Amino acid sequence: MGSYILRRLLIALPSLLGISVVLFTVLALAPGDPFEELATNPNVPAEVRQMLRVKFGLDDPVWQRYFRWLAAMLQGDWGFSFISRVDVDVLILQRVPVTLAVIGASQLLALAVALPVGIYSAVKPYSWFDRIASTLAFIGFSLPTFFTGLLLILVFSIKLDWLPFVYRADIAATGGQWWWEHLKQSIMPVTVLGLFQGASWTRYVRSAVLDVVRLDYVTTARSKGLKERVVVIKHVVRNALIPVVTLVALQMPAVFGGAIVTEQIFRIPGIGSLLIDAILRNDTPVIMAVTFVFACLVIIFNLIADLLYGWLDPRISYR
């Protein structure tokens, strides 16, 4: 197992290097100037703007800037935000806990909905439960998150005044009150993301279980007198979850990107809102760092999916 993980990580290095070259080149050639605001500010002398451009090497060739960025990254220096005037790694570390809390809770909610509903729908196909669940799943992943987010704000924040619609990271309360305030303001964004993902995954779980439940070895297990619950959990679900694991692992980085819309709606100070703000203000170091983190997430979750295959199916070995 250890040698397999090491080989996968070594194979991932050229991929990350190629991704970084493409990202850096595209951002370097894109229109816009991070010091555009300074250029229109009459209080900033022209020589000061030129000194800043020379300091950050903005007028150097792209390949020189890339190798300078790569050398800094290898030393743990993620760059300096032109707009926020702080190190990029400090900015990201400030936003990561909020994003992980919201995304993690939403994905747990999605799995808690998709797995039991999808499995039971497949075990009882074309029943009333299956028809209702399939209808709700179609509706769930057909509605965009910005629509459901605004709908929840309209109902629970404006009409009923139960939940806050603006996420605040600087809550002054302590102890149990602090946890309660964070829980209240997390309910709507977690629900929006979790139900959207859960609706999509429910269809995949149902389809995967239906493919397995009709196989011969499942019929053989039933003929041996095993209880239906044992047959479903031990013989059906574990094999059916292999394609589902692939789907969840590949979609997880996309969820971080998709959360950008939700973070904008609820004003969540997470990675998504940081990326949007950096794009609007041409803060190239921040854009490069966040997109590179997303690329690393793709590779990491692919590795996690491969490791889960061996746990779900003992026939898979790592050599």
Side-chain angles (χ1 to χ4, degrees), residues 119 209 212 231-242 312:
I119 292 170
V209 174
V212 175
V231 173
V232 172
I233 295 176
K234 187 175 180 180
H235 296 280
V236 175
V237 172
R238 289 191 64 172
N239 291 292
L241 285 183
I242 293 178
L312 291 171

Side-chain angles (χ1 to χ4, degrees), residues 121 129-139 141 202-203 206:
S121 296
F129 180 88
D130 182 33
R131 293 174 183 177
I132 294 174
S134 298
T135 302
L136 293 178
F138 276 119
I139 296 174
F141 68 75
T202 297
R203 300 296 301 167
R206 180 184 183 276

Side-chain angles (χ1 to χ4, degrees), residues 173-188:
T174 57
Q177 184 64 25
W178 185 88
W179 286 102
W180 172 244
E181 293 297 331
H182 272 283
L183 177 63
K184 281 203 306 182
Q185 66 183 2
S186 301
I187 289 176
M188 288 196 293

Side-chain angles (χ1 to χ4, degrees), residues 19-317:
I19 291 171
S20 66
V21 171
V22 174
L23 287 175
F24 194 93
T25 304
V26 170
L27 291 176
L29 299 179
D33 191 335
F35 293 132
E36 185 176 354
E37 295 182 4
L38 296 181
T40 58
N41 190 343
N43 297 323
V44 180
E47 56 270 17
V48 173
R49 295 198 298 269
Q50 186 60 33
M51 288 174 59
L52 289 173
R53 297 187 68 85
V54 171
K55 177 182 178 180
F56 291 105
L58 296 181
D59 295 326
D60 294 340
V62 175
W63 64 271
Q64 290 185 7
R65 292 158 57 188
Y66 170 75
F67 282 111
R68 190 184 304 123
W69 172 86
L70 181 62
M73 281 288 290
L74 293 176
Q75 297 175 10
D77 182 6
W78 288 36
F80 186 79
S81 173
F82 299 143
I83 306 301
S84 302
R85 307 291 193 270
V86 295
D87 292 334
V88 174
D89 56 347
V90 174
L91 273 179
I92 293 178
L93 289 176
Q94 289 174 349
R95 305 294 187 98
V96 162
V98 177
T99 297
L100 288 180
V102 174
I103 296 297
S106 66
Q107 299 315 290
L108 290 178
L109 175 61
L111 289 173
V113 171
L115 290 179
V117 174
I119 292 170
Y120 193 79
S121 296
V123 173
K124 304 288 185 181
Y126 311 114
S127 63
W128 281 108
F129 180 88
D130 182 33
R131 293 174 183 177
I132 294 174
S134 298
T135 302
L136 293 178
F138 276 119
I139 296 174
F141 68 75
S142 298
L143 296 176
T145 54
F146 69 84
F147 175 80
T148 53
L150 294 176
L151 183 63
L152 290 183
I153 289 175
L154 179 64
V155 174
F156 293 102
S157 295
I158 298 177
K159 295 293 184 181
L160 301 177
D161 195 23
W162 287 354
L163 302 172
F165 63 87
V166 176
Y167 193 101
R168 293 178 51 227
D170 55 343
I171 295 178
T174 57
Q177 184 64 25
W178 185 88
W179 286 102
W180 172 244
E181 293 297 331
H182 272 283
L183 177 63
K184 281 203 306 182
Q185 66 183 2
S186 301
I187 289 176
M188 288 196 293
V190 168
T191 302
V192 168
L193 284 174
L195 294 183
F196 179 79
Q197 285 296 121
S200 176
W201 291 350
T202 297
R203 300 296 301 167
Y204 285 101
V205 173
R206 180 184 183 276
S207 177
V209 174
L210 276 176
D211 290 339
V212 175
V213 79
R214 300 190 182 101
L215 297 180
D216 293 339
Y217 76 89
V218 177
T219 305
T220 304
R222 287 196 178 105
S223 66
K224 290 180 179 180
L226 295 177
K227 295 182 179 180
E228 184 66 17
R229 183 178 180 181
V230 175
V231 173
V232 172
I233 295 176
K234 187 175 180 180
H235 296 280
V236 175
V237 172
R238 289 191 64 172
N239 291 292
L241 285 183
I242 293 178
V244 176
V245 166
T246 304
L247 172 73
V248 173
L250 293 180
Q251 283 192 350
M252 194 62 67
V255 171
F256 281 85
I260 293 175
V261 177
T262 306
E263 288 185 1
Q264 290 296 104
I265 294 173
F266 295 99
R267 297 295 185 266
I268 301 174
I271 295 294
S273 59
L274 175 65
L275 179 60
I276 290 294
D277 185 60
I279 292 174
L280 294 176
R281 305 176 72 176
N282 294 314
D283 199 351
T284 307
V286 176
I287 301 173
M288 184 67 195
V290 174
T291 50
F292 189 71
V293 168
F294 285 168
C296 293
L297 288 175
V298 173
I299 293 176
I300 291 173
F301 280 107
N302 270 284
L303 177 58
I304 293 174
D306 288 344
L307 297 178
L308 288 176
Y309 294 156
W311 175 71
L312 291 171
D313 191 347
R315 295 172 299 178
I316 299 176
S317 60

